[in-house]
Amino acid sequence: MKKERIEVSCIMFMITYIMITNILESYYIKSNLFLSNIRYLMMEAIVLLGIICFFKQLIFKRTDIISISIFLFWMITIISTIINISIQQNIILSFLSLSFWVAIFYIIKNFKGNEERELLISIMQIEFAVLFIVYNYCQINNRVASLNGPAINSVYYLLCCFPFLICSSNKIIKWGGSTVCIMSVIISGKRAAIIAIILVLIIWGIMDIQDNDKRIKSTLKKILFITLFMAILFFIYRKIQVVYGIDVFQMLESLKTDGGSGRTYIYKGVWEAIKKRELISQLFGDGYTSVALKGIAYGSMAHNEFLEFFYDYGLIGFVCYINIWVQLLKRGYKGYLAKKDYTLSYIVSLILVTVLSLFSILIPYPRYFTFIVIFWAIYFNSNVPQYKMEDRNEK
């Protein structure tokens, strides 16, 4: 067991290192301690280990339908990228970017013990605190850079840690961490993140009340506590509105006038490009980040993962991607009915990924999506009913 704990700690250290260097580069902040070469060596080690873990699970018949679905999608992305590789692309970097999240999933899924699972969740809660410090350090030290795309999107690192915060039995981590995360999202002004957090809070409140629907006294306490929590959030929001001049409702209203920062025009452009392609491209796509490389979306990504993958990996890749979604939703539904561990956090993760996939891009880059993948792997390894976990904690 000690060996597994060391392995978990080493893997999470490398992931933390990679994520921190990503945030620092988003703000054009570099340090000798965070050399890019070390980061890429760590990524290579993780990808190699992930491939070994997958085939190990395959040989010993420990794979499941979600693991196979992810593997099929990954293979399509690799094949599509290889057959369409251009001089503009670094093939090794493209391979690492495509493989990183897949490798993380298989590595974490290899840790099936309860102790490893609890250790992973604890490490991710600590990682949230570390990333929060790094994020604010970057915001303070480079306000000009904080206005560019990658820097603004760095708040997603905090947001994608949210499932780990709300599954904590420690009230300070659960409520304090959640409040800090929510306030960070509001201050960032990222409308997709704000929409996601609003939906998360609604679902969180509904499911919290449903869990106690047979105990009236407990339900009333939950309602009062959630009301108090929302009142505190509103008070803090009003302070933020005065200090930073941020009006969430005005930002959401502006979606009608600016089309989501021009996203509606980008979506139309990508869809028209999809319809005009040759048959081979319709089936296999044009490869990794081809929307940006070919200038289809005015030199940027599609800002919608469904359109992006339909163009990049064709109809075959798109079907494989949708199949992953189907499997994820089925797991969530079954987990909800069975009162499985961390089902609330899992549903929250699906909400986050859905909203961010509709308005942004998650998978193609080894960034914040990594945290969601870690949580999914933990959830799929969790087979203990919720009431048993609660009984164990009480003892």
Side-chain angles (χ1 to χ4, degrees):
M1 193 60 67
K2 186 177 179 181
K3 178 187 173 184
E4 283 78 5
R5 292 177 70 86
I6 293 172
E7 289 174 353
V8 168
S9 300
C10 290
I11 292 297
M12 293 307 297
F13 171 78
M14 288 194 287
I15 291 172
T16 303
Y17 185 97
I18 293 167
M19 296 301 113
I20 290 175
T21 55
N22 284 342
I23 294 178
L24 292 175
E25 285 197 356
S26 298
Y27 287 85
Y28 308 118
I29 299 173
K30 295 184 179 181
S31 170
N32 292 331
L33 295 175
F34 300 103
L35 298 173
S36 295
N37 289 339
I38 295 177
R39 178 179 60 178
Y40 293 130
L41 284 173
M42 287 183 174
M43 288 177 64
E44 289 167 5
I46 287 173
V47 169
L48 178 61
L49 183 58
I51 293 171
I52 293 171
C53 286
F54 171 75
F55 284 106
K56 178 184 173 182
Q57 293 164 20
L58 190 65
I59 291 169
F60 291 101
K61 297 181 179 179
R62 294 175 184 168
T63 54
D64 53 15
I65 186 66
I66 189 71
S67 297
I68 298 298
S69 298
I70 289 173
F71 180 78
L72 289 175
F73 176 70
W74 175 64
M75 287 303 298
I76 289 297
T77 63
I78 296 296
I79 292 169
S80 176
T81 301
I82 290 174
I83 62 177
N84 290 288
I85 197 70
S86 69
I87 58 173
Q88 295 172 276
Q89 287 175 290
N90 182 324
I91 184 63
I92 296 176
L93 186 58
S94 297
F95 176 77
L96 289 176
S97 298
L98 288 168
S99 308
F100 187 76
W101 71 277
V102 179
I104 292 293
F105 179 80
Y106 292 132
I107 291 170
I108 302 302
K109 208 165 182 300
N110 202 50
F111 299 114
K112 296 184 180 293
N114 287 337
E115 286 191 26
E116 292 99 318
R117 180 180 64 187
E118 290 169 5
L119 177 62
L120 280 164
I121 291 173
S122 298
I123 291 174
M124 279 304 306
Q125 290 165 353
I126 295 170
E127 179 145 349
F128 170 79
V130 173
L131 292 174
F132 176 74
I133 293 169
V134 173
Y135 171 75
N136 282 282
Y137 168 80
C138 293
Q139 286 277 320
I140 293 168
N141 281 274
N142 203 336
R143 293 298 300 171
V144 175
S146 67
L147 300 176
N148 72 49
I152 294 172
N153 290 343
S154 60
V155 75
Y156 290 152
Y157 287 97
L158 304 181
L159 184 60
C160 288
C161 289
F162 202 80
F164 294 97
L165 301 176
I166 63 174
C167 70
S168 176
S169 58
N170 185 305
K171 290 183 179 179
I172 294 175
I173 295 174
K174 183 175 183 177
W175 297 105
S178 299
T179 302
V180 166
C181 185
I182 293 166
M183 292 303 106
S184 298
V185 166
I186 293 173
I187 293 171
S188 74
K190 284 295 294 183
R191 290 175 293 188
I194 291 170
I195 291 170
I197 211 69
I198 289 171
L199 292 175
V200 162
L201 289 174
I202 292 170
I203 297 299
W204 187 3
I206 292 171
M207 290 189 67
D208 236 1
I209 293 170
Q210 281 184 341
D211 284 344
N212 298 279
D213 60 356
K214 294 181 181 178
R215 292 172 285 179
I216 297 175
K217 189 175 179 180
S218 180
T219 301
L220 290 173
K221 285 183 179 179
K222 285 283 184 182
I223 293 172
L224 287 172
F225 185 79
I226 291 170
T227 304
L228 179 62
F229 179 62
M230 295 302 292
I232 293 171
L233 283 180
F234 182 75
F235 173 77
I236 298 172
Y237 164 67
R238 294 293 293 177
K239 290 291 183 182
I240 290 172
Q241 194 176 26
V242 172
V243 175
Y244 293 93
I246 293 172
D247 189 330
V248 171
F249 302 104
Q250 187 177 3
M251 285 192 295
L252 296 178
E253 181 70 22
S254 66
L255 286 170
K256 295 179 182 178
T257 56
D258 67 6
S261 300
R263 279 172 170 75
T264 51
Y265 300 105
I266 292 173
Y267 298 160
K268 289 177 183 177
V270 175
W271 180 244
E272 289 300 317
I274 289 172
K275 293 192 294 184
K276 294 176 182 177
R277 293 192 300 181
E278 297 178 357
L279 179 61
I280 190 69
S281 292
Q282 292 284 11
L283 292 175
F284 294 99
D286 290 347
Y288 177 63
T289 65
S290 56
V291 170
L293 290 174
K294 295 194 173 185
I296 303 300
Y298 310 101
S300 73
M301 306 287 279
H303 292 286
N304 179 294
E305 212 147 61
F306 297 91
L307 281 174
E308 179 75 34
F309 290 162
F310 202 164
Y311 189 90
D312 288 353
Y313 311 121
L315 181 61
I316 296 174
F318 182 73
V319 170
C320 290
Y321 176 65
I322 294 299
N323 180 52
I324 292 175
W325 269 104
V326 171
Q327 301 306 324
L328 290 172
L329 293 172
K330 284 172 66 176
R331 287 295 186 94
Y333 180 69
K334 289 179 181 178
Y336 175 76
L337 294 179
K339 295 184 180 294
K340 191 177 176 181
D341 277 358
Y342 314 126
T343 295
L344 169 61
S345 292
Y346 180 71
I347 291 173
V348 164
S349 74
L350 292 182
I351 293 171
L352 294 177
V353 174
T354 300
V355 175
L356 299 186
S357 294
L358 288 172
F359 299 106
S360 186
I361 298 293
L362 284 175
I363 291 180
Y365 300 112
R367 295 176 184 168
Y368 26 82
F369 181 61
T370 302
F371 301 145
I372 298 292
V373 171
I374 291 171
F375 183 80
W376 286 347
I378 293 171
Y379 180 75
F380 297 148
N381 280 341
S382 172
N383 296 307
V384 184
Q386 185 66 39
Y387 69 90
K388 290 186 179 178
M389 284 293 293
E390 290 172 352
D391 292 343
R392 188 180 70 185
N393 290 335
E394 286 175 5
K395 292 177 183 177

